[in-house]
Amino acid sequence: MTYLSLGEAAKAAGVAKGTISKALKSGKLSYADKTPAGYQIDPAELFRAFPRKQPETVEYERLETPKETVETAVLRAQLEAAERSGHVAAVVLVD
């Protein structure tokens, strides 16, 4: 099984090393072993104590639809001509 060091655990959880250290000392986070090299933290235990955060949605600039395109102008002219001639009883707009 692969274990994480205190620094690796902090980076994976997105918190400071001090936060992980306090959690280990208080018992909020358990560890598999403590060696002279440091703590060995099970990733499953880490994410139990510090759930993964959902990625933030990226804001993006919303582009406006052009006010008038060539096609829109042609369709508008055709509609106006049809209305003048009485060929259009009702206009229904559909997305």
Side-chain angles (χ1 to χ4, degrees):
M1 175 173 272
T2 303
Y3 293 105
L4 301 173
S5 68
L6 190 141
E8 292 168 333
K11 187 173 183 178
V15 297
K17 287 196 264 184
T19 304
I20 299 293
S21 181
K22 287 177 189 174
L24 289 166
K25 289 176 183 170
S26 71
K28 178 183 176 188
L29 175 64
S30 63
Y31 54 90
D33 195 15
K34 184 177 178 184
T35 66
Y39 289 100
Q40 293 183 339
I41 303 166
D42 183 340
E45 172 61 11
L46 172 69
F47 294 119
R48 179 202 59 78
F50 296 93
R52 292 181 191 217
K53 295 180 178 134
Q54 296 296 324
E56 294 182 24
T57 56
V58 177
E59 295 284 333
Y60 61 92
E61 183 179 336
R62 186 175 180 148
L63 302 175
E64 285 189 30
T65 303
K67 302 282 187 238
E68 188 79 19
T69 63
V70 173
E71 182 182 22
T72 309
V74 169
L75 292 171
R76 189 176 315 285
Q78 289 173 345
L79 177 61
E80 289 171 1
E83 287 173 338
R84 280 194 302 270
S85 67
H87 286 84
V88 176
V91 176
V92 177
L93 298 177
V94 179
D95 285 355

